[in-house]
Structures are given as structure tokens and as C-alpha cells.
Amino acid sequence: MKTKTLKDFDVKGKRVIVRVDFNVPHKGEVITDDNRIMAALPTINDLTGRGAKVILLSHLGKIKTEEDKAKNDMSIVARRLAEVQPAPVVFVNATRGEELENAVRDMAEGTIVLMQNTRYEPGETKNDPELGAYWASLGDLFVEDAFGSVHRAHASTVGIPTHLPHCAGFLVQKELEVLGGALNEPKRPFVAILGGAKVSDKIGVIENLLKIADKVLIGGGMAYTFQAAEGKKIGNSLLEADKEDLAREFMEKGAGKLYLPTDTVIANDFDAPTDIRTVKAGEIPDGYMGLDIGEETIAEFKKALEGAKTVFWNGPMGVFEKPEFAKGTIEVCKALAELDDAVTIIGGGDSASAAKNLGYAEKFSHISTGGGASLEFMEGKNLPGVAVLED
Ligand code: AMP
């Protein structure tokens, strides 16, 4: 895969459209986590520092109604962006038209224009060709730095670069290098740890990693479908009955490398449990549900991780949002953080939040900024926003 990088272009005086991922969590006007803004700064600072006119485009939230628009107004990001980097920021409360065009025309070198939310345009998510061509007409070069959006073929991710010279920004470049390294030439042993609620969300990634990794450890709610497939008792635990055949197939194909929990923490109620205990996997009484991996499984997973040189982790081992069922996720996170000389990658989403909340974020080689995108990448899928950058 060959994509050009920022360093391949002389950007002085050029109008550079950068697709960033400013889809930040926020409550009203308060941004509750500005990580995504911070993650885009290396690219933005490089461009403004070299005298580019930087036009930033991003979506924020899902937009279906006028109310959604009011809730997901990009001006909150403009304010934060102006605080965290030195270049002047002009916010344009429009996604097309004279106000936007004039703002771009009047830009000085080394300054930033941030456009209103791309999804204010209904054509954005449909990759409307007219919209992609229009946005492209505002710039001389397109830089893709929104890794969290490259699995989507939208006007701002795929439409624009079909009309302009293009390259990957530093964030996308790093994501592709690290995830691509694990997928294509992992240092071995390569261990994948997959958890979370549903098998159906992770089918592709289990399938691909069973081919590539040396071990695949499965925890979280999806493990129970595997146990049900073996005819074991899972009580009221999460089950996707229509995925039992597939689970059986994975167990056959993955024999020797697929690790499932051998014990499980169960409770008599999800919201207000009065009885919490640990039982052998597949021996969950009726009326109880499995909500975390047990001590024995934690020990086995830790052993399976010993000596690992590459680890990819996506999805919690249990209902980690509740302290009673967080131990499996915490212990797996700790074990990864303590690995010596290993490339440790978290594929975004809940496992990334768990690592951050536990204070282990710095201990990982890489925490992906794209949950959905990193999963699709590890499935071996072609990501449209990356494919369009290839030469
Ligand atoms: P995902 O988005 O698929 O990675 O799933 C994350 C969610 O799975 C978290 O909200 C967890 O609480 C949930 N989860 C993990 N283990 C279980 C379980 N045993 N039962 C129910 N939910 C679970």
C-alpha cells in the first residue's frame, strides 16, 4: 500500500483541505474529551508552520433533524482548537456558499478555517458527487487525517480526494503503519484479545485473526455464544443463537489457538445483583447471567500472553462499567501494559476508555483513534478512505 505523506508536498501558500476527526464527545457546549482534537494537532501544526492555508472539515455526531444540528454545532470545537494551537482560527457557520468561499479566499498563510459540521449536508454520507467536487474546489491539496472515518465512503473522505492531489496526515499514517504492521508482518507470538458484547460485531475480525494470530483469546459477552454452541449451560447470559453454528466453525478452525473462558463471574440480576459468584464456564444456573471472566480465566489469559511480541486488543472482558464486573478487563489491561518489548495495540472503543481510565494509556504502543475503522482494518477489509489515497 503506497500513500503519499505530508512531507511529499510543498504546502506554502497552498489551500490544504484536511479531513479531521473532530467528532468529540460533548455535553451541550462542553467537550468532555478533547483527545481527537489533540490527535490532529501534529498534522495541523506542521501545515500552518509551513505556511499552508488550512481548511478543516469534520463531522460531529449524527444529523437527522434540525435539533441534531443544534446539538452538534462545530463552533464548540473551533473554540477549543483556538486554545490548543497557535494559529488563528476562523469558524465558518456554513457548509457551502459565499460565506465559506470568501473566508477561504481571504485566508492568510499559516491560518485555519474550520467549516461547520460536514453532516449538515445530506449529501455527505451519500458521497454525493456534486458535494465532493464542490468542497474539492475550495482547495489545492487534500489530506486525510480522520482515521475514525476512513471506513466510510462519504463526500468528505472519498469524494474530495478523487478531485485533488492527496495524501495521509500524520495520524492516519501512524495508524496504518502500526495496524498494518500487526496485520502484515507481526512480531511473533501475536496474540489477539477480543471481547465486548456481540459475536456478530466481531465475526470478520475473529475470522481474519484466526488466520494470522498465534492465539485468539475470547472474553466478554460474546464468549457465551461459543459455550452455548458446545451445548453448555449459560443461564440468562448474552446469546446470539443464530451465531452458534459460526461459533462452532470458529472453534473447529481455531482448535489449538482459540482460548475461551474456563470460569465466569455470574450474578442473579444485571442492575441490582444480590448474589454474585464465580462458576465453571458452561455451568451457569438458570436465572443467572455471566458478566465477567473469572480468576482462573484471568490466570490462563495472562499465561497465554507471556512472551507475546504483538498484541491486538478490542473489547472488554466483562461489564467493566460496573466495578463488580470490571476485574477481568482490568487484569487483562494490566497484563498487556506490563509486557516487555511487545507492540501492544488497542483497537479503540471501550477497551481504549478502559486503558485510559485505569491510567495505563501511556503503557501501550498504540491506542487507535478509530474503533470501527481499526476493526475493519484488522478484518482485512479495504477501507474506502484509505484506498482512495493509494497511488
Ligand atoms: P463492544 O462495543 O461490542 O466492544 O461491547 C462493549 C460492551 O460489552 C460493554 O458495554 C460491556 O459492558 C459489554 N459486555 C461485556 N461483557 C458482557 C457480558 N458478559 N454481558 C453483557 N454485556 C457485556
Side-chain angles (χ1 to χ4, degrees):
M1 172 172 16
K2 278 273 164 289
T3 57
K4 287 206 172 82
T5 68
L6 278 179
K7 298 290 178 207
D8 294 320
F9 293 90
D10 175 10
V11 295
K12 190 170 164 47
K14 300 263 167 59
R15 298 167 302 161
V16 182
I17 299 177
V18 188
R19 176 53 161 104
V20 281
D21 179 3
F22 285 167
N23 184 26
V24 289
H26 61 285
K27 289 210 170 82
E29 299 206 345
V30 179
I31 296 172
T32 52
D33 180 351
D34 66 1
N35 256 317
R36 287 180 168 164
I37 301 174
M38 304 312 281
L41 293 186
T43 292
I44 295 171
N45 291 340
D46 175 77
L47 287 168
T48 53
R50 289 198 283 148
K53 301 170 181 178
V54 179
I55 306 160
L56 300 177
L57 267 58
S58 174
H59 78 281
L60 177 60
K62 289 200 169 89
I63 307 290
K64 291 209 173 86
T65 61
E66 287 301 313
E67 238 181 7
D68 293 339
K69 281 191 179 176
K71 261 194 231 154
N72 293 294
D73 187 320
M74 194 62 84
S75 61
I76 60 168
V77 174
R79 283 197 287 278
R80 185 80 189 116
L81 182 64
E83 288 166 3
V84 295
Q85 58 75 50
V89 178
V90 170
F91 174 67
V92 177
N93 185 17
T95 44
R96 63 164 78 223
E98 217 170 298
E99 189 188 343
L100 177 62
E101 289 154 28
N102 291 346
V104 170
R105 187 198 57 210
D106 296 342
M107 288 179 87
E109 290 182 5
T111 65
I112 298 171
V113 159
L114 172 61
M115 193 185 81
Q116 184 52 279
N117 189 345
T118 53
R119 290 199 186 161
Y120 275 28
E121 290 284 339
E124 156 73 329
T125 52
K126 299 184 189 107
N127 190 13
D128 172 13
E130 184 274 327
L131 183 61
Y134 170 70
W135 280 337
S137 74
L138 302 170
D140 304 304
L141 169 69
F142 175 80
V143 177
E144 176 58 83
D145 215 24
F147 185 70
S149 298
V150 290
H151 57 315
R152 307 225 152 93
H154 290 175
S156 67
T157 56
V158 167
I160 304 174
T162 54
H163 299 280
L164 286 178
H166 46 251
C167 69
F170 293 131
L171 178 63
V172 165
Q173 197 187 338
K174 179 166 186 225
E175 294 272 7
L176 296 178
E177 274 168 19
V178 178
L179 296 174
L183 202 59
N184 301 319
E185 38 188 350
K187 284 200 286 167
R188 293 188 185 275
F190 174 17
V191 182
I193 308 175
L194 302 172
K198 290 182 172 171
V199 186
S200 47
D201 289 344
K202 313 264 157 100
I203 293 171
V205 82
I206 300 174
E207 200 153 36
N208 202 35
L209 291 181
L210 274 178
K211 287 184 215 145
I212 295 167
D214 299 292
K215 296 173 189 169
V216 177
L217 281 40
I218 294 206
M222 67 176 173
Y224 303 104
T225 296
F226 285 81
Q227 282 151 3
E230 287 183 303
K232 295 189 174 156
K233 286 185 66 177
I234 63 160
N236 298 346
S237 308
L238 275 188
L239 168 68
E240 286 174 277
D242 61 334
K243 295 289 174 291
E244 283 183 41
D245 287 345
L246 193 71
R248 223 171 279 123
E249 188 189 314
F250 286 155
M251 285 187 282
E252 276 161 27
K253 274 192 202 157
K257 61 159 75 171
L258 187 71
Y259 289 62
L260 287 161
T262 55
D263 64 346
T264 180
V265 177
I266 60 169
N268 58 345
D269 190 66
F270 185 88
D271 293 315
T274 51
D275 184 14
I276 300 177
R277 47 194 151 112
T278 301
V279 297
K280 290 255 163 249
E283 295 179 13
I284 304 178
D286 292 341
Y288 283 75
M289 58 201 305
L291 295 169
D292 195 9
I293 54 174
E295 296 283 352
E296 187 182 284
T297 308
I298 292 174
E300 282 164 5
F301 281 10
K302 280 188 173 169
K303 194 153 188 0
L305 281 164
E306 274 171 20
K309 291 289 174 235
T310 304
V311 182
F312 175 78
W313 176 31
N314 182 292
M317 296 292 101
V319 181
F320 77 110
E321 298 91 337
K322 297 181 185 241
E324 312 90 288
F325 311 116
K327 190 165 188 202
T329 304
I330 294 174
E331 292 298 323
V332 161
C333 186
K334 269 193 201 163
L336 293 187
E338 283 162 10
L339 281 176
D340 265 342
D341 188 29
V343 179
T344 47
I345 304 168
I346 301 189
D350 280 331
S351 4
S353 329
K356 282 178 199 153
N357 296 342
L358 293 167
Y360 287 113
E362 300 304 318
K363 302 267 187 184
F364 286 84
S365 316
H366 183 67
I367 300 185
S368 177
T369 52
S374 69
L375 266 188
E376 290 197 20
F377 188 91
M378 295 310 277
E379 282 176 35
K381 274 194 186 158
N382 213 356
L383 307 182
V386 172
V388 73
L389 303 178
E390 287 166 12
D391 294 313

